[in-house]
Amino acid sequence: RESVNKWANTSNLIDVIQGYNAEGGDFASGSEIVVLGWDPADTHTSNFWEELASVELGSAGDSLSSGTITAKKYLWFQYFIKKSGTINSLIRFNSDSGSNYASRQSIDGGAENVEASISHLDFPGHAHVANTFGNVFVINNSAKEKLVIGHTIDGNTAGAGTAPKRTEQVAKWANTSAQITDITITQSSTGDYDTGSFLKVWGSN
């Protein structure tokens, strides 16, 4: 779901955010809301996000892997794919190649592509035309399906005369017995991820 809104108050800062249930059920135990904020006057030295992995290719290859990371309730990962030749990327968690993934994606605001019972997640959902940057968030509760939301930009044809491509995607990994402790991005075509491609992962509880 996508929504844009405004609160017409022009005299106060927001200092309370509440979620309300308008139906007959309840928010089950374990539901929560997390609010992140920042102010230039802050003097704190801690951060919500902890870096869990930072991997950069020193030579061309077909895979970017976080390696084993510390299990965290919230995951945020970013990747930059510098392409060499034709590449088509897929993402797996904990090396799971079973039919345990499902996704819904839209490219450049077009019709949705829905995939169910698949063996991986397609990010960005199409063959890479040019270098690609992705930004992805995951709720990583052990006993729940892992819900994923991500956005990617593909540079498209080089130069300012061609607009980039964008992909919006939501997905899930249907595992309900383990947290994600490994993220691997693999390309399945004839090209390579070039030197300088990277994957960074942050987490928090």
Side-chain angles (χ1 to χ4, degrees):
R1 301 185 183 190
E2 292 181 302
S3 178
V4 292
N5 306 276
K6 68 177 181 179
W7 181 41
N9 185 303
T10 58
S11 58
N12 297 287
L13 294 173
I14 294 171
D15 58 9
V16 177
I17 298 174
Q18 295 172 292
Y20 292 95
N21 172 32
E23 300 295 336
D26 293 299
F27 295 149
S29 174
S31 300
E32 62 183 315
I33 183 170
V34 176
V35 182
L36 303 181
W38 181 80
D39 189 287
D42 281 348
T43 58
H44 72 276
T45 57
S46 60
N47 197 328
F48 180 82
W49 294 110
E50 173 189 351
E51 185 176 287
L52 305 178
S54 181
V55 179
E56 182 172 336
L57 293 185
S59 59
D62 289 329
S63 180
L64 281 165
S65 177
S66 67
T68 301
I69 57 175
T70 304
K72 296 289 185 178
K73 183 188 295 184
Y74 304 100
L75 294 177
W76 167 30
F77 65 94
Q78 294 183 335
Y79 59 89
F80 172 68
I81 293 172
K82 186 177 179 182
K83 86 178 194 77
S84 175
T86 301
I87 60 175
N88 192 38
S89 295
L90 55 91
I91 293 177
R92 289 191 173 111
F93 302 130
N94 295 8
S95 301
D96 181 8
S97 58
S99 300
N100 299 314
Y101 305 83
S103 73
R104 181 183 301 270
Q105 60 191 229
S106 174
I107 301 171
D108 294 337
E112 291 183 338
N113 178 36
V114 179
E115 298 179 300
S117 298
I118 53 178
S119 65
H120 59 271
L121 298 180
D122 290 312
F123 272 82
H126 55 82
H128 299 284
V129 177
N131 297 338
T132 301
F133 176 71
N135 193 46
V136 185
F137 292 92
V138 185
I139 181 72
N140 191 30
N141 286 323
S142 178
K144 304 292 184 182
E145 293 184 331
K146 314 307 179 281
L147 302 181
V148 183
I149 183 168
H151 296 81
T152 60
I153 174 174
D154 183 313
N156 208 344
T157 303
T162 304
K165 289 180 173 290
R166 64 181 171 93
T167 301
E168 298 171 301
Q169 184 160 2
V170 293
K172 65 179 181 177
W173 182 41
N175 184 302
T176 56
S177 61
Q179 287 181 285
I180 295 168
T181 55
D182 177 272
I183 299 168
T184 301
I185 306 175
T186 305
Q187 85 85 20
S188 59
S189 191
T190 57
D192 289 301
Y193 296 155
D194 208 350
T195 303
S197 298
F198 67 78
L199 170 65
K200 291 184 177 289
V201 185
W202 298 267
S204 180
N205 284 323

